[in-house]
Amino acid sequence: MRLDKYVSQCSSLSRREVGYALREKRISVNDDIARSASIKIGDDDRVSLDGQPLAPAGPRYWMLHKPAEYVCARTDASQPCVTDLLPPEAVADLQLVGRLDKDTTGLLLITDDGQWNHRITSPRRQCPKVYRVTTADPIAADTAARFAEGVVLRDDPAPTLPATLEVIDSHSARLTLHEGRYHQVKRMFAALGNRVVALHRESVAGIELDPDLASGDYRALTPEEITRV
Ligand code: URA
């Protein structure tokens, strides 16, 4: 990896600031003052900034309390993106672990660890995702039984995997899915003639949205949460 990229990844400096730091002789490689941003850094090289050894940051794992009105994308020409809520220097390598609709709120996991992301999103793992659903019409008495059997969605011949519906009151319920098709919750209720008016994700793969996390805020996952997956 180029020196400027390496220093920028291991510190709070942007690539441009690394250029300034080089000119100010603040960066050394193997105890020699570095002069070029483009020299290649290998595994055995020791790089220091202002005399402090640098090391690559470990993988990052975050939970975001997604507000409505933000799209799950890296950039968008006209709409706010969930990445706008994260520190700009962190966004480059980050992956969203699944996606939520623009109007859906709640738990969004974010990481730069592709394997961990895959463990959660791989259809083979069938990781549970729990949603709090509010509907336009009263939830019909047979809804839980039909979701448990699997329903056929419009434009998709394969029935949904068995899902668990826990009715809370006439218009709200907690739904646990083990797959993640496009607009799945909304389409499942639509298949039974009802309509979702609010959707909030409470947990993914056993990791629950922190109740102390305000809408729009994020925090690092704890080691225990990371290994729960
Ligand atoms: N199902 C939906 O319909 N929307 C979401 O955002 C997530 C699951």
Side-chain angles (χ1 to χ4, degrees):
M1 188 187 299
R2 280 174 58 111
L3 176 63
D4 55 352
K5 185 170 184 197
Y6 181 87
V7 174
S8 152
Q9 282 192 359
C10 300
S11 69
S12 60
L13 300 187
S14 66
R15 294 277 275 269
R16 178 193 295 244
E17 288 166 336
V18 173
Y20 299 144
L22 275 167
R23 261 172 264 148
E24 291 162 0
K25 301 186 169 45
R26 294 168 55 202
I27 298 175
S28 62
V29 178
N30 302 327
D31 301 326
D32 293 329
I33 298 292
R35 300 187 191 281
S36 163
S38 63
I39 59 169
K40 293 281 185 281
I41 299 302
D43 287 345
D44 296 332
D45 289 319
R46 287 171 290 107
V47 181
S48 304
L49 172 67
D50 296 329
Q52 298 299 314
L54 294 178
R60 288 165 298 172
Y61 307 87
W62 286 336
M63 67 164 71
L64 170 73
H65 185 163
K66 180 193 172 296
E69 302 307 319
Y70 281 76
V71 292
C72 283
R74 215 168 252 292
T75 56
D76 189 279
S78 57
Q79 310 181 85
C81 296
V82 288
T83 46
D84 299 341
L85 299 163
L86 304 172
E89 69 277 8
V91 169
D93 299 321
L94 289 178
Q95 307 170 4
L96 307 180
V97 182
R99 288 178 197 281
L100 294 173
D101 296 337
K102 184 177 170 187
D103 56 355
T104 301
T105 59
L107 177 63
L108 183 66
L109 297 174
I110 297 167
T111 186
D112 57 5
D113 179 343
Q115 286 187 354
W116 189 80
N117 185 354
H118 183 71
R119 280 213 296 282
I120 297 179
T121 52
S122 165
R124 283 185 19 199
R125 298 284 299 254
Q126 299 189 1
C127 281
K129 292 177 273 283
V130 181
Y131 295 89
R132 174 81 185 250
V133 190
T134 310
T135 56
D137 297 321
I139 297 169
D142 64 350
T143 305
R146 293 184 64 186
F147 284 175
E149 278 167 17
V151 291
V152 174
L153 307 178
R154 210 173 137 215
D155 299 329
D156 191 346
T160 54
L161 290 180
T164 308
L165 187 80
E166 182 197 328
V167 175
I168 296 168
D169 59 34
S170 64
H171 288 72
S172 69
R174 187 165 284 114
L175 179 63
T176 305
L177 300 185
H178 297 271
E179 58 185 334
R181 300 192 211 176
Y182 185 61
H183 294 327
Q184 180 160 349
V185 176
K186 292 172 185 165
R187 290 164 73 212
M188 285 174 71
F189 277 91
L192 304 193
N194 205 336
R195 188 166 57 86
V196 171
V197 293
L199 189 56
H200 178 82
R201 187 152 71 185
E202 295 183 335
S203 77
V204 173
I207 301 172
E208 289 175 13
L209 179 65
D210 187 331
D212 293 332
L213 207 54
S215 175
D217 282 355
Y218 64 90
R219 73 154 168 82
L221 296 188
T222 64
E224 192 277 320
E225 285 168 331
I226 295 165
T227 49
R228 210 178 283 175
V229 170

